[in-house]
Amino acid sequence: MADSANSKNYGVPIYGAGWVPPSALRSAVEPPPADDEKDDGDKSSPGSYVVLSGGGGEGNSGIRNALIVAQFDFDSNVLSDEPVARLGTGGDLPYRMAVHPGGEGLICSLPKSCRWFDWDFQRAENRSLGLISSERVLEPLQDIGQQLALTFNNEGSLLAVGGEDGKLRVYKWPSMENILDQDNAHASVKDLDFSPDGKFLASVGSGPCRIWDVSKSTSVASLKKENDEIFGSCKFSPINDENQVLYIITMRDQGGSVSKWSTTTWKRIKSKRVVRDPICAFNVSANGKLLAVGTIEGDVLIVSSNNFQVHNVVKKAHLGLVTTLKFSEDSRALLSASMDSRVRVTIMKEEKKSGVSLWIVILVLLIAIAVFYAASNGILPVELNSIFK
């Protein structure tokens, strides 16, 4: 597959990805100008950045483990041909990552521990954004084994991590005070997500999806599977400013489905199969209108959250299974990555309204009635009057 403007191969299998928050760009990419730069008139925008994690893992595969920063231009729909920054992590594969929503940096899970990384502004030449390994050590996350899920709440005040060993931990950020420590939450934790208001945390692994009340540090619901379902991913989303729902990806022999759950009754609202292939990546847009699913065949689908209708399918967006999907903060674009080392940004298209507008139908009916009335009373021109006789 040849590179296109919005799809690039950066040379390493990608397992984690995220958008760099605008707050990080404002503070790091656009620092106060030096005295000799104040009058140069340069008002150009630095653009948007994405951050990626991946590599060849342990051994002598020849593929280095690294965190990568690339630039994306929304106006031209172009990803940078080469990374603007690359930070090697030695023999440790940077697997899942969570970008702090406040722009502080990011946390990445390594085979045995989790490590914090800071943004690094490269002021010389291209004014690009990079990463540096922080001197800050997250003591509670040292030597805890491989973590398969990492997420911050929307405010960036809580951090949840879920391990390959099935243990679930929640910490206050940045103090790292532990407020939930649950052994055997699942046999292995696959996915985690905080509700928009930060009150609940959903966890998915083997068995049911579990719902945790963060303030009480207790499990408050267990969402059961139907028949031969397997739960894959979970994401909360607001319907409007007050209501919120939970989406769970489910798999059966006949394909991948999306199910919607109430966050008041914790009952299933509806489910629908959206693709025949197994789903291996999932995300929800910040505005709650769109869902994105990635398949093991490398396809990416954009789905309406309202009726679960598929809006768009990007066939073979990747050559291998899709490992991660992330909508941009403004819901304008979707970042996808894969083990094929390819990164893609898909701009969201405006939904085209199908069918005839109800108002047009009503107008046509009114005109038809008026014409019929006029014809019945003989007040139409002779040429038209003959048509209705």
Side-chain angles (χ1 to χ4, degrees), residues 13 45 64 82 96 99-100 104 132 137 199 209 257 266 268 270-271 292 313 331 359 371:
S45 170
R64 295 183 176 180
E82 299 291 335
R96 297 305 188 193
V99 178
H100 190 273
E104 295 180 19
I132 55 174
V137 177
K199 182 178 180 180
C209 171
S257 300
W266 299 113
R268 188 186 305 235
K270 67 176 179 178
S271 295
V313 180
S331 303
W359 290 110
V371 171

Side-chain angles (χ1 to χ4, degrees), residues 162-163 165-169 180-189 192 203-210 212:
D165 59 1
K167 188 166 185 175
L168 172 63
R169 300 172 174 90
L180 192 155
D181 195 316
Q182 181 68 44
D183 290 324
N184 302 316
H186 302 276
S188 182
V189 180
L192 296 169
S203 65
V204 166
S206 56
C209 171
R210 300 186 69 179
W212 308 84

Side-chain angles (χ1 to χ4, degrees), residues 101-143:
E104 295 180 19
L106 66 88
I107 184 173
C108 193
S109 66
L110 304 174
K112 297 180 180 179
S113 303
C114 293
R115 189 185 303 173
W116 181 255
F117 296 87
D118 294 317
W119 303 118
D120 181 32
F121 175 60
Q122 309 294 327
R123 192 161 178 74
E125 299 180 1
N126 60 359
R127 298 171 61 86
S128 63
L129 185 72
L131 281 168
I132 55 174
S133 184
S134 176
E135 296 181 356
R136 178 182 182 182
V137 177
L138 305 176
E139 292 293 348
L141 301 183
Q142 301 303 299
D143 299 318

Side-chain angles (χ1 to χ4, degrees), residues 190-191 204-205 230-234 248-251 279-280 282:
K190 296 179 184 178
D191 198 15
V204 166
I230 298 175
F231 286 169
S233 301
C234 59
I248 300 177
I249 291 298
T250 63
M251 266 85 70
I279 297 172
C280 50
F282 179 59

Side-chain angles (χ1 to χ4, degrees), residues 299-316:
D299 299 337
V300 172
L301 294 83
I302 310 300
V303 181
S304 167
S305 64
N306 182 41
N307 54 19
F308 290 175
Q309 291 294 318
V310 177
H311 281 182
N312 186 30
V313 180
V314 184
K315 296 291 291 184
K316 297 299 179 184

